[in-house]
Amino acid sequence: MQSRIARTAESLFAEKGFEETTVDEIAEAVGMSQRSFFRYFASKDEVVFDSLERLSEELAQRLAARPLEEPAWDSLRRSFDPVAERFADPEHRDHDAAIQRIIDRSPRLLSAYLGRLERLQRALTDALVARSVRRAERGQDVVVLRAMVGGACACLHAATVHAGADPEVFGPSLDRAMEALRPAEV
């Protein structure tokens, strides 16, 4: 049901605009009451970020699950594989592009989106810190780890923007950017 609500809302947002679409309209289009809508989502904003939240959780989990002996930078790259998989799937790719257009058109959503990206970077940094503890590494500089995550996310963003017109170039673009920015061993 949550997925059905999200898809219906996304269609209305794309058709009418995010700000112009009400929760009542979403609930009516799905065939439920406004109260029922709020059992699944706290707000219409949350509908927009539903898939992004799940993807962010998956990226952090993938990073935490990487082999301890793997260099942190390589683990970050591999944790981005779900994004590459979404680019390879036309349905996911089109959905993600539509969501990004909705976000880009709303200052409120864009602000919330940037906040979520900040939380993702914190989660990835926390995963690297925990990994350092498991590897019994001493003296890991959290600032350096955070900068590393920021650099990797910048590579991800650059590849995403570049692949907008040609999704086939996403993976190679991400690999090229990450190789160019590979840090010295941390």
Side-chain angles (χ1 to χ4, degrees):
M1 180 55 79
Q2 190 168 1
S3 184
R4 188 170 151 227
I5 295 168
R7 294 293 181 170
T8 301
E10 290 162 3
S11 293
L12 288 169
F13 297 154
E15 177 186 321
K16 295 181 62 178
F18 175 78
E19 305 297 341
E20 294 75 20
T21 303
T22 66
V23 170
D24 285 335
E25 290 170 319
I26 298 166
E28 183 180 325
V30 176
M32 65 174 42
S33 68
Q34 184 189 66
R35 186 176 178 164
S36 294
F37 171 90
F38 287 119
R39 285 190 205 132
Y40 295 96
F41 294 100
S43 69
K44 68 179 185 176
D45 300 42
E46 294 303 315
V47 174
V48 174
F49 295 115
D50 182 56
S51 61
L52 178 64
E53 285 295 322
R54 284 185 271 127
L55 180 61
S56 293
E57 290 169 10
E58 184 176 1
L59 298 181
Q61 290 169 354
R62 291 256 185 135
L63 179 57
R66 296 300 305 165
L68 287 178
E69 64 277 359
E70 185 175 61
W73 189 251
D74 294 332
S75 292
L76 280 165
R77 167 57 189 94
R78 296 279 52 105
S79 73
F80 295 154
D81 282 344
V83 179
E85 292 162 12
R86 291 182 76 84
F87 260 95
D89 179 326
E91 185 177 327
H92 279 117
R93 183 176 59 244
D94 292 346
H95 172 263
D96 293 348
I99 292 297
Q100 192 62 53
R101 284 190 298 277
I102 291 166
I103 291 168
D104 290 344
R105 291 180 186 139
S106 168
R108 184 174 90 209
L109 288 178
L110 186 56
S111 175
Y113 174 75
L114 295 173
R116 281 173 166 75
L117 291 180
E118 167 63 22
R119 284 196 299 275
L120 170 61
Q121 288 189 29
R122 254 185 276 143
L124 295 175
T125 301
D126 291 346
L128 287 181
V129 169
R131 172 193 174 95
S132 294
V133 169
R134 289 195 322 271
R135 290 173 59 156
E137 294 174 332
R138 303 267 186 247
Q140 281 294 333
D141 187 337
V142 176
V143 172
V144 172
L145 292 176
R146 177 57 193 258
M148 184 187 306
V149 167
C153 287
C155 292
L156 179 64
H157 179 73
T160 300
V161 170
H162 181 66
D166 183 5
E168 298 299 318
V169 302
F170 175 79
S173 295
L174 178 59
D175 290 336
R176 196 169 61 254
M178 289 195 73
E179 193 54 42
L181 295 183
R182 179 180 290 280
E185 281 303 308
V186 178

